[in-house]
């Protein structure tokens, strides 16, 4: 194998980047339009074999940093369907709406705060008065479609944490400051879903409610801004593509006294990845009043009873995965040949190691399968015997696989394989018995 030439980066502007990502996602099995054989369904998407791995990795990286590596945060997985009482108390039935306008000329419908007074469809500037359009999906639980059977699909995961506040407090013996984290699907009947998986009606969130003594709320708000910001940097978002933006007073949600967004520089400009809010004691008080249960913390040491304040970092998993793809995309030259490469951090790459027998000859298969079996418990692996080795490297580069392991005829003699690095394209020979520890070392894990 001779193509160990260093990669020469060539700058890629943002022109056409979205289109390239959308095409790559479809062509390589990250994201498919939903119900495509029936013409697709209203901006919903399905995650294919690579996308599902990558999305899982994003969620796992979040869970690891927010729950696994901390002793002050516990997890929860609450139901998606919930009764109107929850959303009545939380204020969502009344307030969770966007301003809807109809274009008077072409009759298309838009979210008034997103179009600058000009119809994106026909250019008209004449609209109906704006009216509040509630974003929650309403359905019926059970066989009767009457008012008593109304249920809602949750528009955020957060309320699951508030209604379970006492259950978690009593079963874990945690005391403020402590958090409850949840990852899962949320649903919003968005007026104009757009920009691929950036805004969809069905999406995944990663949210954590951090309950603190009220006097400490400001300090924990600052703490979580810094913590969450560094999570994106650590996973490879370049510093110049990410910023924090504090909300103006008139932008705040009905429950918040301070909010800042983590924003990413998307091809269309800065836009939100995550909102970090001081939700005060709004939700716990509201659910206490509505349910009659006292959702307070009783501090035995001081004899004090109080409603904790809540600091909430709320991120979108699907939106974040898209930002990682956009940030990682690059086109460069290897040995005079153009290649597309995703410089993904190994922790979120959908395939972390590809095992590639040099030839289809059956003599290589037992060794290649042995290597695959050694790696699979530690990494998401792919096994590919089709096409030339150079083509296979390119295919792996294009989906961001950090390492390719090639098993060749010498491997049968020297029990060693070639490890190729995606970013440098450097190739080194590594003994099969030391392969797992070599890759664990390269990925920054213990040997
Ligand atoms: P926006 O102003 O973009 O509608 P929001 O401020 O209402 O979003 P939050 O309620 O703060 O969003 O939700 C937290 C996170 O959930 C967002 O930062 C985003 O990453 C994600 N999210 C919200 N709505 C959607 C959606 N329709 N599609 C994909 N992700 C979403």
């Amino acid at each position: 194998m001779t193509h160990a030439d260093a990669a020469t980066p060539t700058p890629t502007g943002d022109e056409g980047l979205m289109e390239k990502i959308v095409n790559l996602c479809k062509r390589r099995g990250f994201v498919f339009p939903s119900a495509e054989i029936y013409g697709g369904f209203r901006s919903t998407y399905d995650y294919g074999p690579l996308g599902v791995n990558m999305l899982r990795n994003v969620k796992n990286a979040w869970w690891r940093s927010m729950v696994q590596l901390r002793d002050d945060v516990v997890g929860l997985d609450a139901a998606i369907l919930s009764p109107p009482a929850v959303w009545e108390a939380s204020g969502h039935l009344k307030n969770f709406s966007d301003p809807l306008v109809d274009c008077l000329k072409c009759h298309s419908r838009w979210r008034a705060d997103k179009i600058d007074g000009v119809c994106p469809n026909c250019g008209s500037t004449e609209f109906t008065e704006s009216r509040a359009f509630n974003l929650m999906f309403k359905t019926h639980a059970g066989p009767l479609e009457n008012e008593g059977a109304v249920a809602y699909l949750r528009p955020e995961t957060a309320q699951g944490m508030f209604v379970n506040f006492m259950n978690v407090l009593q079963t874990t013996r945690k005391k403020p400051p402590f958090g409850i984290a949840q990852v899962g699907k949320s649903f919003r009947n968005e007026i104009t879903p757009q920009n691929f998986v950036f805004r969809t009606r069905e999406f995944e969130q990663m949210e954590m409610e951090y309950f603190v003594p009220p006097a400490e709320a400001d300090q924990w708000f600052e703490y979580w801004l810094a913590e969450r910001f560094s999570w994106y940097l650590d996973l490879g978002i370049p510093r110049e593509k990410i910023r924090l933006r504090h909300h103006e007073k008139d932008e705040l949600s009905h429950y918040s006294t301070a909010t800042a967004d983590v924003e990413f520089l998307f091809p269309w400009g800065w836009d939100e990845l995550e909102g970090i809010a001081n939700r005060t004691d709004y939700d716990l008080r509201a659910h206490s009043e509505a349910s009659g249960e006292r959702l307070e913390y009783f501090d035995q040491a001081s004899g004090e009873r109080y409603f904790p304040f809540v600091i909430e970092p709320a991120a979108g998993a699907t939106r974040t995965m898209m930002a990682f793809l956009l940030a990682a995309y690059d086109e460069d030259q290897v040995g005079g040949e153009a290649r597309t490469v995703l410089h993904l951090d190994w922790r979120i790459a959908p395939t972390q190691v590809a095992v590639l027998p040099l030839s289809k000859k059956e003599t290589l298969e037992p060794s290649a399968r042995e290597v695959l079996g050694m790696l699979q418990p530690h990494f998401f692996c792919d096994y590919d015997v089709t096409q030339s080795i150079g083509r296979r490297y390119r295919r792996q580069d294009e989906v961001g696989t950090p390492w390719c392991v090639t098993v060749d005829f010498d491997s049968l003699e020297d029990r060693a394989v070639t490890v190729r690095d995606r970013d440098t394209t450097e190739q080194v020979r590594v003994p099969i018995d030391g392969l797992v520890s070599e890759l664990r070392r390269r990925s920054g894990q213990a040997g």
Side-chain angles (χ1 to χ4, degrees), residues 357-369 383 385 407 409 412:
L358 185 63
S359 111
K360 276 192 191 134
K361 293 241 165 58
E362 280 164 20
T363 40
L364 291 184
E365 196 176 330
S367 295
R369 293 222 166 261
Y383 183 85
V385 286
V407 179
F409 293 101
L412 305 180

Side-chain angles (χ1 to χ4, degrees), residues 96 98 111 114 135 155-156 188 190 197-207 247 253 255 261-262 271-275 312 314-320:
F96 196 63
D98 279 336
R111 195 171 139 180
K114 294 280 179 192
L135 298 180
E156 60 173 27
R188 296 182 187 179
E190 298 278 0
V197 297
F198 177 83
R199 185 180 305 286
T200 47
R201 295 195 171 107
E202 173 177 350
F203 55 97
E204 279 201 83
Q205 290 189 305
M206 310 183 286
E207 296 195 298
H247 281 209
S253 316
Y255 49 72
D261 290 344
V262 178
D271 221 330
E272 175 179 338
L273 283 183
E274 167 163 358
E312 174 197 73
T318 35
R319 199 179 269 192
T320 298

Side-chain angles (χ1 to χ4, degrees), residues 51-284:
V52 75
N53 272 9
M54 182 168 176
L55 186 58
R56 181 166 297 208
N57 286 342
V58 169
K59 293 184 286 184
N60 284 350
W62 186 90
W63 195 263
R64 184 176 163 80
S65 108
M66 300 296 274
V67 182
Q68 188 181 345
L69 297 179
R70 305 184 66 101
D71 65 359
D72 58 347
V73 180
V74 293
L76 182 78
D77 193 359
I80 288 172
L81 280 176
S82 41
V86 169
W87 307 106
E88 178 74 52
S90 70
H92 282 76
L93 276 176
K94 193 154 155 247
N95 295 317
F96 196 63
S97 56
D98 279 336
L100 172 70
V101 289
D102 292 14
C103 171
L104 288 176
K105 198 161 157 216
C106 73
H107 305 293
S108 56
R109 292 190 153 173
W110 303 99
R111 195 171 139 180
D113 59 331
K114 294 280 179 192
I115 54 168
D116 286 331
V118 182
C119 174
N121 189 40
C122 73
S124 163
T125 52
E126 292 191 54
F127 296 92
T128 56
E129 284 290 306
S130 116
R131 56 209 185 273
F133 174 74
N134 195 289
L135 298 180
M136 283 199 293
F137 277 99
K138 192 175 180 180
T139 185
H140 294 91
L144 291 177
E145 291 206 359
N146 61 22
E147 269 310 299
V150 166
Y152 290 93
L153 301 189
R154 64 182 180 197
E156 60 173 27
T157 66
Q159 297 304 322
M161 279 78 107
F162 300 127
V163 299
N164 279 290
F165 176 71
M166 269 304 161
N167 285 336
V168 173
L169 205 58
Q170 282 160 2
T171 50
T172 63
R173 310 179 75 85
K174 294 278 174 212
K175 54 182 194 191
F178 83 99
I180 309 177
Q182 180 167 203
V183 172
K185 289 228 167 168
S186 290
F187 301 81
R188 296 182 187 179
N189 197 4
E190 298 278 0
I191 297 168
T192 39
Q194 59 191 349
N195 293 327
F196 195 38
V197 297
F198 177 83
R199 185 180 305 286
T200 47
R201 295 195 171 107
E202 173 177 350
F203 55 97
E204 279 201 83
Q205 290 189 305
M206 310 183 286
E207 296 195 298
M208 198 270 287
E209 310 306 314
Y210 199 71
F211 300 93
V212 304
E216 296 175 19
D218 292 345
Q219 151 204 342
W220 284 111
F221 179 66
E222 295 299 326
Y223 169 88
W224 282 109
L225 290 188
E227 196 68 14
R228 293 301 307 144
F229 196 73
S230 62
W231 184 81
Y232 294 94
L233 293 177
D234 177 50
L235 284 171
I237 302 279
R239 180 64 193 81
E240 66 279 8
K241 294 237 166 190
I242 183 172
R243 72 176 190 191
L244 267 179
R245 187 182 67 80
H246 287 264
H247 281 209
E248 303 294 336
K249 281 270 173 290
D250 62 358
E251 256 185 283
L252 295 173
S253 316
H254 62 276
Y255 49 72
S256 173
T257 55
T259 298
D261 290 344
V262 178
E263 294 188 334
F264 176 75
L265 188 54
F266 286 94
W268 60 90
W270 291 101
D271 221 330
E272 175 179 338
L273 283 183
E274 167 163 358
I276 298 148
N278 178 352
R279 288 182 83 128
T280 68
D281 56 3
Y282 180 91
D283 301 89
L284 289 179

